[in-house]
Amino acid sequence: MTSHKDKRAKHNSNNNSHANVNVNANINSWKTGDLVLCKVGSFPPWPAVIFPQRFLRNDVYKKKKPERIAVSFFNDPTYYWEFPHKLTALTPKLIDSTLKNNSNANSMNDALFIAYKEAKKYIDLESFITAKFIQEDRLNDYSDEIDLNGPLINGEDPFITKEMLTEKQNDSSNSYNDNDKFDNKGEEDGGEFSTKNRNSRLKLDHNGIANIKSKTTTTKKRSHSKLDISRQTEIASLFRRRIQANLIQRDEPPTIEGIEESHKLLNKIYENLDTEPPFFDLNTLRKTKLHKLLRVIVNNYKLEEFHQICKDILAHWATMIIQLKKEREEAKKIGKKTIL
């Protein structure tokens, strides 16, 4: 199969649709989540997102280069480290004009055209990264990173490295040792914290620090639970949108990439059927109607390779599906009574 990068080479890198893009020379102006065009070698400029370094895979992060920032491409699994002044802004106007000018022409290869279409659908950095983590089968890493360094914030400095965040954590940890400095000073001066009071003072400090650490750990665990609960519907909705776009809402047969991604997503759903607390619970199915999509797949003979796993998932959700059906019937009855 021809890779996206091979397809890029077929496209003329001097495509006129990019002629009106101004180079952004201010290296401090780019923020994470910005849409850009990134040109790699002889390939044409490709739609991409400026990516926060802390969410990069380790193999990508190890290739980090000085004074460069990371971008992640649309409709392509690769990342690239580029100098900021070599990136150009990808505006909604440019996306629309490019799609319009190439909709009925052969001047742009299919992979690049799809990349522009995906860029047009771009919502925010969080949705983009979540989809990326699903594709790379490392959704758990996303939650771990947020637990460790806080929530994802759109518009951060793309030069913030993992090492910087580690140093920040160490600085916070070192703040617990400030009292030791006061103890030493007190002992030298013969003041309140002299040798005769040192043991009792240190005991109080250690207990205090232990309590603080304990509270911090508890808070983190709670926030992790809240994060998972608040994001359940969003992630399940993303699963539905991706599977639906890959397999159902298409004018042409599913692509190999779309089929592979759909297998990954369905396997991820299957793997999380027995989590405690349940990830795909009644409320999640009620809001996303993910079960209805799986039924559509099962009833499509062209998608036979997905039938078995969809049937297995639906069988596991059978009780919840029955409950949702009862809710709909009750809602209909109430609606009829209201009309009468």
Side-chain angles (χ1 to χ4, degrees):
M1 185 186 77
T2 305
S3 68
H4 289 166
K5 287 187 175 179
D6 292 334
K7 290 178 181 177
R8 290 185 202 175
K10 297 177 183 178
H11 179 64
N12 184 354
S13 62
N14 295 321
N15 191 310
N16 292 331
S17 63
H18 302 297
N20 61 342
V21 182
N22 294 321
V23 174
N24 192 325
N26 183 0
I27 65 172
N28 295 319
S29 65
W30 294 122
K31 300 296 181 184
T32 56
D34 286 347
L35 296 188
V36 295
L37 287 172
C38 179
K39 194 175 187 310
V40 181
S42 60
F43 302 130
W46 204 272
V49 178
I50 294 182
F51 208 86
Q53 295 189 27
R54 69 185 178 110
F55 287 98
L56 290 170
R57 296 196 316 262
N58 289 334
D59 63 307
V60 177
Y61 189 74
K62 288 178 181 178
K63 298 177 182 177
K64 181 165 63 76
K65 298 179 180 180
E67 300 181 1
R68 302 192 188 193
I69 57 180
V71 300
S72 176
F73 296 103
F74 286 100
N75 195 37
D76 190 294
T78 58
Y79 299 82
Y80 191 69
W81 293 92
E82 183 57 284
F83 290 108
H85 69 272
K86 290 189 176 182
L87 299 173
T88 54
L90 180 59
T91 63
K93 183 178 180 180
L94 177 58
I95 294 173
D96 289 339
S97 63
T98 302
L99 291 173
K100 182 179 179 180
N101 294 338
N102 292 277
S103 59
N104 297 314
N106 295 322
S107 58
M108 179 179 289
N109 68 67
D110 292 340
L112 182 55
F113 187 76
I114 293 173
Y116 271 95
K117 289 179 71 174
E118 289 186 2
K120 182 177 176 62
K121 296 177 183 178
Y122 177 81
I123 301 173
D124 55 35
L125 181 60
E126 185 175 29
S127 299
F128 180 84
I129 288 183
T130 304
K132 199 78 174 177
F133 272 61
I134 291 171
Q135 292 170 4
E136 296 173 353
D137 196 24
R138 58 189 190 106
L139 199 56
N140 291 337
D141 293 345
Y142 180 82
S143 296
D144 291 343
E145 171 57 32
I146 288 179
D147 277 349
L148 186 63
N149 291 311
L152 170 65
I153 300 175
N154 195 65
E156 291 183 317
D157 183 353
F159 284 100
I160 295 177
T161 65
K162 294 184 179 183
E163 290 80 8
M164 290 178 182
L165 294 173
T166 301
E167 289 177 7
K168 186 177 180 181
Q169 289 174 4
N170 291 338
D171 290 341
S172 298
S173 299
N174 289 337
S175 65
Y176 289 121
N177 297 324
D178 288 345
N179 285 327
D180 289 341
K181 297 177 182 178
F182 289 109
D183 289 338
N184 293 335
K185 185 178 185 302
E187 186 173 348
E188 290 172 2
D189 295 342
E192 181 183 357
F193 303 128
S194 58
T195 304
K196 63 180 181 180
N197 294 322
R198 180 174 174 79
N199 291 336
S200 60
R201 172 63 181 174
L202 289 176
K203 185 176 181 181
L204 288 173
D205 283 345
H206 288 168
N207 287 338
I209 292 172
N211 289 336
I212 291 172
K213 287 183 178 178
S214 175
K215 289 178 182 177
T216 303
T217 304
T218 304
T219 303
K220 261 193 175 179
K221 286 182 179 178
R222 287 176 182 169
S223 65
H224 177 68
S225 299
K226 288 180 180 178
L227 174 70
D228 289 344
I229 293 171
S230 65
R231 287 183 55 79
Q232 277 180 223
T233 302
E234 182 183 347
I235 293 175
S237 297
L238 182 60
F239 274 49
R240 178 191 168 101
R241 289 196 300 270
R242 297 299 301 174
I243 295 172
Q244 192 165 315
N246 289 337
L247 304 179
I248 305 299
Q249 292 180 337
R250 303 186 60 84
D251 297 327
E252 62 280 333
T255 63
I256 293 177
E257 292 84 357
I259 290 173
E260 290 176 351
E261 183 186 19
S262 297
H263 274 298
K264 282 185 178 181
L265 293 173
L266 289 168
N267 284 328
K268 183 62 68 175
I269 293 173
Y270 186 81
E271 291 168 6
N272 286 276
L273 290 178
D274 295 316
T275 56
E276 188 59 43
F279 187 86
F280 296 96
D281 56 14
L282 183 64
N283 185 56
T284 302
L285 294 188
R286 183 186 294 116
K287 291 184 177 180
T288 65
K289 298 178 174 58
L290 188 55
H291 56 292
K292 291 188 175 182
L293 174 61
L294 300 194
R295 281 177 172 170
V296 171
I297 294 173
V298 169
N299 291 327
N300 189 329
Y301 72 93
K302 294 181 180 180
L303 301 175
E304 186 176 0
E305 64 184 286
F306 298 98
H307 286 184
Q308 189 57 55
I309 191 168
C310 287
K311 288 178 180 178
D312 291 342
I313 295 171
L314 289 170
H316 195 280
W317 289 345
T319 303
M320 292 189 291
I321 293 173
I322 292 172
Q323 176 62 31
L324 292 173
K325 186 176 180 180
K326 289 180 179 178
E327 290 180 4
R328 288 197 303 273
E329 291 173 351
E330 287 295 324
K332 287 180 180 179
K333 290 179 182 178
I334 294 173
K336 288 180 180 179
K337 289 180 180 179
T338 303
I339 294 173
L340 294 174

